[in-house]
Structures are given as structure tokens and as C-alpha cells.
Amino acid sequence: MASISGAFSPSSTLLRPRRHQSVVFSAFPFRRLRPPQSIADLSRSSSPSYPSSSTNNSLKSGPVCPVEKDPKKLWDRYVDWLYQHKELGLFLDVSRIGFTDEFLEKMEPKMQKAFQAMKELEKGAIANPDEKRMVGHYWLRSPHLSPNTYLKDQIEKTLDKICEFAEAIISAKIKPPSSPAGRFTQILSVGIGGSSLGPQFVAEALAPDNPPLKIRFIDNTDPAGIDHQIAQLGPELASTLVIVISKSGGTPETRNGLLEVQKAFREAGLNFSKQGVAITQENSLLDNTARIEGWLARFPMFDWVGGRTSEMSAVGLLPAALQGMDIREMLAGAALMDEAARNTVVRENPAALLSMCWYWASDGVGSKDMVVLPYKDSLLLFSRYLQQLVMESLGKEFDLDGNRVNQGLTVYGNKGSTDQHAYIQQLREGVHNFFVTFIEVLRDRPPGHDWELEPGVTCGDYLFGMLHGTRSALYANDRESITVTVQEVTPRSVGAMIALYERAVGIYAALININAYHQPGVEAGKRAAGEVLALQKRVLAVLNEASCKEPVEPLMLDEIADRCHAPEEIEMIYKIIQHMAANDRALIAEGSCGSPRSVKVFLGECNVDEMYA
Ligand SMILES: O=P(O)(O)OC[C@H]1O[C@H](O)[C@H](O)[C@@H](O)[C@@H]1O
């Protein structure tokens, strides 16, 4: 039997442990036992009730009943199912997910169908039918797979341009016009969602202690947050490269951030266009602005790359390169993972294994949350990155056949062992509505930097012990988990992990028959925000008119609502005025009862006493 090599030695062969008959876990095969809802239930029910045969658990066979605890059988399962990618030094352990042989057999046709869908996607099919777009983020790291030479050339030329530009900035061949440092020392990234989450995750994971340029982010339309970032830059604003990232080129939060930063540049007597870079779709509003204003550089985003899968495009590669990261290594790691994830044998495909575990653990309907627990500080933002990648892809109201499914898979988590001092208590003993994904990094410190803080024990040993102790403690209480293990956090392993989850999401989406590549729900939120701002403008017009009278005419809320022709919006009008008053843009006088109904609103000076005389 092939042994599992403890030592990691780079070679291209896959180690394949001898196949064992995997053990059936559930005491009542393929029935989903409905756990007692409360202690009272326990006293009432002599035995746990479980769904009648009519309940649709044709594929659901997750064991809420006790899982396998026999150490010998667990070891066999661990060895039998352990996936190892020798060249990447990456392991995937799914042994603590209790899928059964029957589940595997029932899933096999669905998995093969999903593999076929991914194959067609990579060949350039319109895999995003709602937006009639191809889905091409895999081509970014394997341009030769592009459906035509034009796209291949675009990808390769953009990568070369990114490397050349980053080298020119770092070497100060391109420098800011008026910086004492004589070179760019800071990056200010302005973007939101997929135009920021990937760069933030990668910066936290891979930025060296002293990068050639230090990065900070404006990823919201919070004026105080923007002020804080600009204040922290201080005089270094003069040596800051501002990268404005927006695929659509029209996202309000990003546009506001740009306007705020440009105001700061004006107030500092700096020429923004000499320090501005745009990453956006060609001919977008942002692209045209950057072109007309003569910004330092512009890099394209492609319509066949979604925001949440754009880390391997200029969105992620330019900031990474400017921080001194080896972006070609990141691409190489992703490409190696893509190659492995094209395997049509489930147990030899890490992305297929992941997606199958998600399906088992959450009934294929998101019935359990995915807790992401990297035991490595530098991977802190991985869960936040996965929240968008997983939830914006899978959280959909309708499936591809138009059925209302309200699908999804909830992701949360931060890092271990820190989170053991926050919410692991609930995971261990509380509501059983999750499964855990541990991210294990074997290398604790660079070679030669480790030391024993007690005989035979290092700090990293504690971290290792906390991970495995938590995994065992959860499993002892029937809590399932997956463990992804990498040797260390490098551009290659980060690229591989990104690719692993991009592919797992794609396969899982095919399993549940949804479009993973559009985001209709986000548009609804944007529209609603626009309606609030439109109402605010009407409120201001009404208040301005009233404030022009002599004496100033204070208005009750219902009067304002009537004059806005929006009586049904009186609550929103109250909230708008409350916000304006808190920012010294309106004045509120309240009657003694303090109720919103007694509120009188006005702009400018007014004798409050007279109002309630
Ligand atoms: O890159 P942008 O076009 O500015 O979009 C930024 C974000 O906007 C929306 O929230 C989309 O749902 C995200 O997928 C996208 O990443």
C-alpha cells in the first residue's frame, strides 16, 4: 500500500492510498434524524423522531446521529479519502464528513454532469446565461485555454503590462511629481466587493513586512473611514499611487471614494492624474474619466471575469505586484489546482470533494453554515473573501429552470486559535447548524527562526495542538469538518486555494442547478438606495421652501410627507431628517413627549420656544 509521506518532497506523482471500503456512518442509514428541539423534547420523546419516508431525503443522508468514533476505522477512512497534491504540497482531508457509499453512488451522475458543465464553461460556453456572458477566470492563469487567440493575447499582454508597470513604479522609473521620497511608497486602493476583497485577502496573506509600497484600502462610502485612511497617509499622500478599481466603472461607493480622494489631492495641492490608476472595463465611466483626465495608467477588466473571481486579473495582480509579490507564482499555483480540479474522478479532484462535502453537510440547500477557520493569522481575511465568492455565487432565488429555490451556503469565521475564545463554545455544544473547514499551515516560521518556549514545545506547536484539539472535540460531539492543509502561505499556495474554491463553487452550483455568475439581488439594493436619495432631495426642497418664509415655517413630519407627495414614506422621511440633523444639516425640535410624531423640522435659525408656545 502506498504510504502517506510525512515529509513533503516536490514530485509530480499523486500518492494514492489503497482503497478501503468506506464505513457507513449513520445508525439509521440514509434517514435524517430530526434532533430533539429542546430539553423538553428530550423528556417527551422516548426516541428521536425522524422524517416520514415522504420527506425528500433522497440524497440527504447526513448523519445527525453519532458518527464513527472507532479510531481504527477513522484512520482507515482518513487514509482512504485523503487527497494530496504533491507538487503543491496541499492536502484535503474529508474524513470527518460522514458521507456514505450510497450518497456517493447517488451523487456520481450529478458530479459527472457538473464536470461536463465545467468543461463547457472553460471552452467558452455562455455559462452565465442571465447576463449572456462567458465565464473565463480560469483562462487568466492558462491563457492557452481561451476560446480564441484574441482573448489569449489580451490576457498575456495585460499581464506583461502589469509586470512592466509595477517594475517601473518600484524602481522609481515612474515617480510622483512632488514627493520628498522621490518614489511611490504607498498604494491607496479604492474599490468595493470583488474589487477589494481579493486584494485585501492577498495583502494580508502575502505582503512582506517591508513591501516596496504599503497598501491601504477605501472600500466603503463612509466619510469617516475615508478621512481616516487619508489622515493616516498624511504627507505621504504625495507619494501615494491611487488605484481605483471597478469592473462596471459606476459603483457609487467607489465613485464617492474617488471624489473624496481627489478632493484631498486638491487640498494638498497635488495633481491626482499623475498618481491615479484605473482598473475597469474599457469605455466604462471610470475608464473614460481616467483617459480624459490623463491618469498615470489604465488596466482592463474583462466582462467574462466576475468581481468575485477577479483576483487573478489586474484587480488582484497589480496591487500584489506593487507589494513585491511573485504574481506569476500565484498564477502557477492556481493553474496547477485548475489542472487537478479537471479530474473527473471525484476522489482525485479536490474541488469535487469539497463541493460534495458541502452538498452532504448542508443537504444541498444550505441547511448548515460553513465556518472557515484558518489557523494562521495571515489568512484572517480568507473567510471574508469566501463570503463573497460563495454567498454571492450560490445565494440565488431561482435555479436555472426558473424554480424558486432560495439557495445559498452561509460562510463565516475568522482565525484559530483566536476564535476558540469567541464562538467555538457554541460550535462545540450549541445549535448544530454548521460544519467547519479548518485551514492548516504546517510551516510555523521561516527556517531558523523557531525556538522552544518550553522544553520540546514551540508556539507553533500550541497552534497546531489547538487546531487538532478543536477538530477532535467538535467531532466527538458529532460536528463534521474538512481540513485543507498547505505547507506554508506563499503566492503559489494562495493561488491554489483561490482556484480550489472558485472551482468548488462552480461544481457545487452545477450540482444545485443555479447560475453562480450573476448577482441580481445586488441590483435591487442599489435601486432602493437610489430611491432613498431621491426622497431626501424632495425633503430638502420642501424644507428649503419653508425656511425661506418669514418667520421660518417649522414643519411637522406629516406636513413634510404630504408636501413630498409621499405620506407612505413618513418613517423614511423621519430617518432622513434624523440623519441630516445629526450632521447639522437640519434642525429638529421635539415636543415634551419626545415622540417622532411631535417633531418639528426646520432649516436655519428659529425660535424653538415659539414653536411649542
Ligand atoms: O467592480 P465593481 O463593478 O465596482 O463592482 C463591485 C461589486 O459590486 C456589486 O456588489 C457586485 O455584486 C459585486 O460582485 C462587485 O464585486
Side-chain angles (χ1 to χ4, degrees), residues 192-195 245-249 251 254 301 307-308 388 392 519 522 526:
I192 196 166
S195 291
I245 308 173
S246 175
K247 174 177 176 181
S248 60
T251 302
T254 305
M301 284 180 80
R308 53 190 174 272
Q388 187 201 19
E392 193 168 71
Q519 48 284 328
V522 175
K526 284 183 184 175

Side-chain angles (χ1 to χ4, degrees), residues 10-73:
S11 78
S12 57
T13 54
L14 282 181
L15 272 184
R16 183 58 44 228
R18 183 161 49 86
R19 177 165 171 60
H20 287 266
Q21 180 60 31
S22 54
V23 178
V24 168
F25 275 78
S26 46
F28 303 94
F30 329 124
R31 284 182 184 281
R32 184 125 182 85
L33 297 184
R34 203 187 300 282
Q37 299 313 311
S38 68
I39 298 295
D41 289 358
L42 278 173
S43 57
R44 269 200 300 276
S45 62
S46 54
S47 63
S49 62
Y50 42 82
S52 67
S53 55
S54 63
T55 303
N56 169 24
N57 59 356
S58 57
L59 277 176
K60 174 59 221 159
S61 357
V64 284
C65 47
V67 294
E68 178 56 61
K69 301 291 172 59
D70 177 283
K72 173 71 177 66
K73 288 177 181 171

Side-chain angles (χ1 to χ4, degrees), residues 565-592:
H565 308 295
E568 76 289 352
E569 295 287 357
I570 188 166
E571 181 181 329
M572 183 53 73
I573 288 170
Y574 171 65
K575 292 302 297 173
I576 287 169
I577 288 166
Q578 193 182 42
H579 175 243
M580 288 170 64
N583 290 281
D584 313 320
R585 296 161 62 198
L587 292 164
I588 289 179
E590 284 181 344
S592 55

Side-chain angles (χ1 to χ4, degrees), residues 82-399:
L82 184 66
Y83 170 85
Q84 179 181 6
H85 193 298
K86 286 285 283 179
E87 191 169 355
L88 284 169
L90 179 142
F91 294 79
L92 175 61
D93 164 23
V94 297
S95 64
R96 284 358 187 229
I97 299 285
F99 52 83
T100 60
D101 277 353
E102 173 162 10
F103 174 75
L104 294 172
E105 284 155 24
K106 287 192 174 182
M107 287 297 286
E108 183 61 23
K110 292 168 81 80
M111 295 302 286
Q112 291 307 320
K113 195 175 165 196
F115 294 146
Q116 185 56 32
M118 294 306 287
K119 190 174 179 181
E120 286 159 16
L121 178 150
E122 288 199 280
K123 283 186 173 176
I126 301 298
N128 177 357
D130 299 87
E131 296 175 339
K132 296 180 177 51
R133 285 177 176 168
M134 299 186 290
V135 175
H137 47 278
Y138 303 108
W139 307 330
L140 296 171
R141 55 263 198 176
S142 304
H144 64 283
L145 293 179
S146 307
N148 58 60
T149 51
Y150 172 72
L151 295 186
K152 174 180 177 296
D153 293 348
Q154 268 199 307
I155 294 166
E156 290 172 341
K157 284 176 186 163
T158 303
L159 178 58
D160 291 343
K161 185 182 171 189
I162 289 166
C163 294
E164 286 159 19
F165 181 77
E167 194 279 329
I169 292 287
I170 292 173
S171 64
K173 291 192 191 82
I174 299 176
K175 58 182 77 169
S178 52
S179 152
R183 56 183 293 274
F184 283 105
T185 59
Q186 299 278 340
I187 303 164
L188 178 58
S189 172
V190 183
I192 196 166
S195 291
S196 185
L197 285 166
Q200 290 190 42
F201 160 52
V202 167
E204 186 74 23
L206 294 171
D209 294 340
N210 297 300
L213 284 84
K214 182 167 176 33
I215 195 167
R216 61 184 62 249
F217 298 89
I218 290 175
D219 67 352
N220 197 7
T221 182
D222 170 5
I226 293 168
D227 293 347
H228 180 61
Q229 294 304 324
I230 291 170
Q232 287 199 312
L233 282 169
E236 276 200 271
L237 190 66
S239 51
T240 296
L241 189 69
V242 182
I243 303 180
V244 185
I245 308 173
S246 175
K247 174 177 176 181
S248 60
T251 302
E253 295 93 335
T254 305
R255 169 257 190 188
N256 294 354
L258 168 60
L259 294 177
E260 291 275 354
V261 169
Q262 287 179 321
K263 174 176 175 288
F265 267 71
R266 286 195 300 274
E267 289 170 352
L270 298 169
N271 181 346
F272 177 85
S273 62
K274 300 300 182 194
Q275 298 177 228
V277 172
I279 304 177
T280 183
Q281 279 193 115
E282 288 180 336
N283 299 320
S284 75
L285 178 61
L286 172 60
D287 188 50
N288 291 332
T289 300
R291 179 171 42 79
I292 292 164
E293 294 179 1
W295 291 14
L296 194 55
R298 295 158 38 226
F299 294 86
M301 284 180 80
F302 310 118
D303 81 333
W304 36 267
V305 176
R308 53 190 174 272
T309 52
S310 64
E311 181 54 28
M312 302 293 164
S313 75
V315 170
L317 297 180
L318 179 62
L322 288 165
Q323 297 170 79
M325 298 172 198
D326 186 338
I327 60 175
R328 292 187 189 276
E329 268 293 285
M330 200 153 80
L331 291 165
L336 280 169
M337 178 52 72
D338 287 343
E339 187 186 332
R342 292 187 188 101
N343 194 316
T344 57
V345 177
V346 171
R347 60 169 52 235
E348 294 177 9
N349 179 332
L353 282 171
L354 264 192
S355 59
M356 189 191 67
C357 289
W358 298 353
Y359 197 105
W360 165 271
S362 71
D363 302 307
V365 295
S367 61
K368 282 205 174 77
D369 299 345
M370 175 158 70
V371 182
V372 177
L373 266 177
Y375 274 64
K376 185 55 69 182
D377 283 1
S378 61
L379 297 180
L380 168 68
L381 298 182
F382 193 40
S383 60
R384 198 191 296 183
Y385 173 75
L386 290 180
Q387 275 183 330
Q388 187 201 19
L389 175 59
V390 174
M391 297 176 75
E392 193 168 71
S393 298
L394 303 178
K396 300 292 164 63
E397 183 174 13
F398 298 101
D399 68 10

Side-chain angles (χ1 to χ4, degrees), residues 419-451:
D419 288 5
Q420 293 175 216
H421 302 266
Y423 60 83
I424 302 289
Q425 162 61 38
Q426 176 172 310
L427 300 193
R428 173 76 170 84
E429 297 182 359
V431 58
H432 186 181
N433 61 354
F434 66 91
F435 62 99
V436 175
T437 299
F438 293 101
I439 310 286
E440 178 184 37
V441 179
L442 295 177
R443 162 75 61 183
D444 295 326
R445 271 184 169 128
H449 287 69
D450 219 347
W451 68 287

